Amino acid sequence: MTGIRAKQKEKTRRALINAALSQLSPQTAFSSLSLREVAREANIAPTSFYRHFQNMDELGLTLVDEGGLTLRQLLRQGRQRLADGGSVIRISVDIFMDFISNNRSVFRLLLQEHSGTSKEFRLAIAREIHHFKSELADYLHNERRLHEDLARLQADAMVRVMFSIGADALDLPASDKAALIEDTILELRMIARGATALQTSFNATKGEAGAVKKRAESAPKGA
Amino acid sequence: MTGIRAKQKEKTRRALINAALSQLSPQTAFSSLSLREVAREANIAPTSFYRHFQNMDELGLTLVDEGGLTLRQLLRQGRQRLADGGSVIRISVDIFMDFISNNRSVFRLLLQEHSGTSKEFRLAIAREIHHFKSELADYLHNERRLHEDLARLQADAMVRVMFSIGADALDLPASDKAALIEDTILELRMIARGATALQTSFNATKGEAGAVKKRAESAPKGA
DNA sequence: AAATTCAGCGAACAGTTGTTCGCTAAAAAG
DNA sequence: CTTTTTAGCGAACAACTGTTCGCTGAATTT
């Protein structure tokens, strides 16, 4: 029951994962990565690949899941930092930008396969992004007392802007990154400001109780 | 001088372009399209491809340019419609969504190659998006009397949200599209509202003249 | 009428790919 | 100790890729 066998298996599994990651670059997309290349880089025979993953897709989905997990862990850290005081937006932007810098390949993978040709990939990544939005929307609703629908829309807009700017930051020299961060913060503040402005104006016209018209509870669909 | 020869050449050139376009689908990215496939679909020998394009990349860049051109033409139509009265935001969103619906393949190409592995592609598409932002920023500055920097940031945020939502709308059943459009309009209104709110608050604190701190005139870089 | 240009072709090339099959040797189970 | 399990291997496969080369025949130029 030592599991010396299982240990070794896990080891070459990691080797495959790392081999894939190490081959990703601005010039090389995951989708154009070949099974044989990955196996070669991991120092195993092409045929042995199948002992660990059925497809290259299965390997890729593993990368997506691990990337999403990392991101969510960072978010938790961020919420802790927030308790110490400081601007939510600034802290969140910093965390996000750090994540991108420290996980360039994974973030590029997320970006590319988000609009890629594999439905499974797209859904997996959409799911990760949805987590992101939901947590933010909950925060805005619960902590910032924003109306539920407005919170959802604000979170949606913010996450979209954040991911889009992240894509630009990905291949930007570090020197230009600072300015981009400041722009990001301003844009997110703009969104936040607009949301509260809309909320108060709705409250004003409609009295006090239910502010925004109840949009269908149809859960997480398009936006 | 009839040019019967040039005519024929142009004809098969179009055939190649259309062949490429017709093979694009949610399951097939341009980057994974082979020269031989395209030639086959266009009913010419693989070797003849080189009489028209040096690369598949060159063909792709042609598609990007034509797509951008179409989009800009639609924008011009939009500005005309605007003169008749109506909400700028709603009209712009409608135009954009129409473009996406009527040019699904091209828009998908833009999305995919925007974060693709060819630098030339990425730059070409970034250029198209920049046109978009600039025109919107100019409009906000000139017609809506918004401060230059705020106009730039608002345009940036709006275009990012618009493209991001467009990506989601791409593979959404028509029935869900209407709700998504309404969400989009609300989010863009949020951004607009936030921008003017920030403008007036800056004006209030700083007096009357120069409102926002002059950000470097460093032209179109990251944001 | 003769000479030139040139879009399109077919054959051939070396290189890659994913996947199958049956085998080995060592770990695990009996 | 004997049997079973199983990660890893090498050979072989059919299918594809981009690109070269020299040739044709018709449109164009001289």
Side-chain angles (χ1 to χ4, degrees), chain B residues 6-198:
Chain B
K7 222 86 168 183
Q8 176 58 25
K9 180 165 186 180
E10 179 60 21
K11 200 171 159 188
T12 80
R13 192 186 128 100
R14 290 303 326 168
L16 282 172
I17 290 178
N18 290 334
L21 264 182
S22 82
Q23 301 214 339
L24 294 182
S25 79
Q27 289 80 34
T28 318
F30 178 84
S31 54
S32 69
L33 220 59
S34 87
L35 184 152
R36 290 177 103 104
E37 276 178 307
V38 173
R40 203 179 305 137
E41 174 84 12
N43 289 314
I44 66 168
T47 56
S48 301
F49 180 96
Y50 296 101
R51 302 288 184 201
H52 304 272
F53 303 98
Q54 277 203 335
N55 279 338
M56 278 294 291
D57 274 22
E58 199 174 301
L59 202 180
L61 289 173
T62 304
L63 293 183
V64 170
D65 286 351
E66 293 199 356
L69 186 66
T70 307
L71 193 46
R72 249 173 290 160
Q73 285 172 340
L74 287 182
L75 280 182
R76 258 178 251 142
Q77 293 177 12
R79 303 204 186 275
Q80 288 175 344
R81 262 208 265 167
L82 182 60
D84 308 345
S87 149
V88 213
I89 289 181
R90 173 153 248 129
I91 287 180
S92 301
V93 170
D94 283 348
I95 290 178
F96 200 90
M97 290 299 201
D98 278 357
F99 171 79
I100 292 174
S101 295
N102 299 329
N103 304 272
R104 297 167 69 91
S105 290
V106 173
F107 189 68
R108 220 180 338 251
L109 172 66
L110 291 177
L111 285 178
Q112 290 172 343
E113 302 306 324
H114 183 40
S115 56
T117 52
S118 158
K119 188 155 200 166
E120 210 169 348
F121 264 104
R122 279 175 304 189
L123 289 181
I125 294 166
R127 216 178 301 130
E128 298 292 340
I129 293 179
H130 182 70
H131 284 325
F132 221 143
K133 286 182 194 169
S134 290
E135 290 184 18
L136 181 52
D138 284 353
Y139 170 80
L140 293 172
H141 176 56
N142 294 330
E143 309 291 323
R144 305 295 241 228
R145 305 250 147 252
L146 207 60
H147 183 279
E148 205 173 346
D149 290 332
L150 269 177
R152 181 178 61 83
L153 289 173
Q154 176 179 350
D156 188 75
M158 281 182 153
V159 168
R160 289 188 192 279
V161 166
M162 192 68 251
F163 265 79
S164 171
I165 294 184
D168 286 359
L170 201 47
D171 35 23
L172 214 62
S175 52
D176 296 338
K177 224 177 268 186
L180 190 56
I181 288 182
E182 293 310 312
D183 280 359
T184 309
I185 291 173
L186 276 174
E187 290 187 17
L188 295 187
R189 290 221 169 109
M190 218 157 83
I191 294 173
R193 187 73 171 250
T196 62
L198 282 185

